[in-house]
Amino acid sequence: GGAMVAMRMSPPAGDFVARAEAAAGDYAGSDDAVPFLIFVAQRAMGEKEHEANLRAAVDTLMKKHVESEAIVALPRLLGGLARVIGKDAADAHLRTIEQRNPVPSIRAWAIITLESNAFRQAKLDSADYKRARAELMRAKGMLTEEPDLAAYIQGMIDEREKLAVGMPAPDIDGVDLDGVAFKLSDYKGKVILLDFWGDW
C-alpha cells in the first residue's frame, strides 16, 4: 500500500559515455566516429551530469559530419534532444541537415522531425497545418528511391486526414460470426460500436 520508488527506463550511462567519447576520439574526422557520437547523445539524454557531453557530441556531429550518410539517426534524435539543447537549436540543426546533407532520406527525416508537432497538433483547416503538410509532401517528393519512407509520410497524412474526429470512417469489410459477409458502410446511419482487439 506504500508508494513505489520510480524506476529508470534505462540503466544509468555511467562510464559508457566516457568510453564512447574516447572511441569517437580514436576515429575523429571519419564517419566511424558517428555511431559513438550518436550513442553519447542518446545515452546522455535525461542525465544532468552528462548534459555537456551530449551538447559536445551534437556539436561535433553538426560541425564535422552534417554531410555524411552516417548521421541517418540524427534527425529523429534531434526531436527528443530539443528538451536539452532547446527547440530553436534543434530546429536550426534540422534545417542545416535538410539543406546540406546529400541523402534524400536523411533530408526527409529532418523535415518530418521539424514539422511533426505542427502537423499532428494544428487544426486541419489552419495555415500551420497546410504549411506542415506541404513540407511533408515536399519531403515525400524527394524519396523516389525510398518507397517505404514515402509510404510512411503518406500514412501520416492519411491518418491525420482520414481518421480525424468527425470524418467518415473508412469502409471495413469482413465476415461475421455466422459467416455472413458485411461492410461497415452497410450500417450507415446506424449507431455502431467497433471493438478492435488483438490476441497477441
Side-chain angles (χ1 to χ4, degrees):
M4 282 184 65
V5 177
M7 297 186 329
R8 295 178 61 96
M9 295 302 290
S10 59
D15 70 341
F16 291 114
V17 166
R19 290 167 61 186
E21 284 177 325
D26 291 342
Y27 296 107
S30 79
D31 283 350
D32 292 333
V34 171
F36 297 107
L37 294 166
I38 294 281
F39 177 87
V40 170
Q42 288 172 326
R43 298 298 305 147
M45 195 177 352
E47 297 197 11
K48 274 283 193 203
E49 65 271 25
H50 293 298
E51 194 171 297
N53 307 83
L54 181 154
R55 290 176 184 277
V58 171
D59 190 50
T60 302
L61 286 163
M62 291 305 300
K63 285 182 178 172
K64 299 190 175 178
H65 302 282
V66 73
E67 296 176 1
S68 168
E69 65 183 45
I71 65 162
V72 64
L74 184 59
R76 285 172 280 176
L77 181 58
L78 283 166
L81 294 180
R83 294 176 306 205
V84 179
I85 65 175
K87 184 177 183 331
D88 290 344
D91 287 356
H93 290 332
L94 288 163
R95 286 188 188 93
T96 299
I97 291 168
E98 195 268 317
Q99 292 164 1
R100 292 184 51 196
N101 195 284
V103 180
S105 59
I106 294 175
R107 294 199 320 272
W109 271 114
I111 294 169
I112 293 167
T113 306
L114 269 169
E115 300 300 337
S116 63
N117 283 343
F119 180 78
R120 293 182 196 287
Q121 295 171 8
K123 292 185 178 181
L124 289 176
D125 60 352
S126 70
D128 282 346
Y129 178 79
K130 290 174 184 169
R131 181 198 51 74
R133 186 187 195 282
E135 283 296 289
L136 289 176
M137 290 303 292
R138 184 170 70 85
K140 182 182 170 190
M142 298 175 182
L143 299 169
T144 55
E145 305 291 321
E146 298 273 352
D148 290 345
L149 185 50
Y152 173 81
I153 293 171
Q154 188 61 53
M156 287 176 64
I157 293 169
D158 290 347
E159 180 180 336
R160 184 75 211 277
E161 294 179 357
K162 294 180 180 177
L163 300 179
V165 173
M167 300 297 289
D171 206 7
I172 299 170
D173 59 65
V175 178
D176 68 17
L177 294 174
D178 297 319
V180 178
F182 72 93
K183 289 193 277 187
L184 182 61
S185 57
D186 295 339
Y187 301 94
K188 187 172 181 178
K190 299 179 180 173
V191 176
I192 302 293
L193 170 65
L194 294 177
D195 182 10
F196 293 96
W197 60 276
D199 58 2
W200 56 84

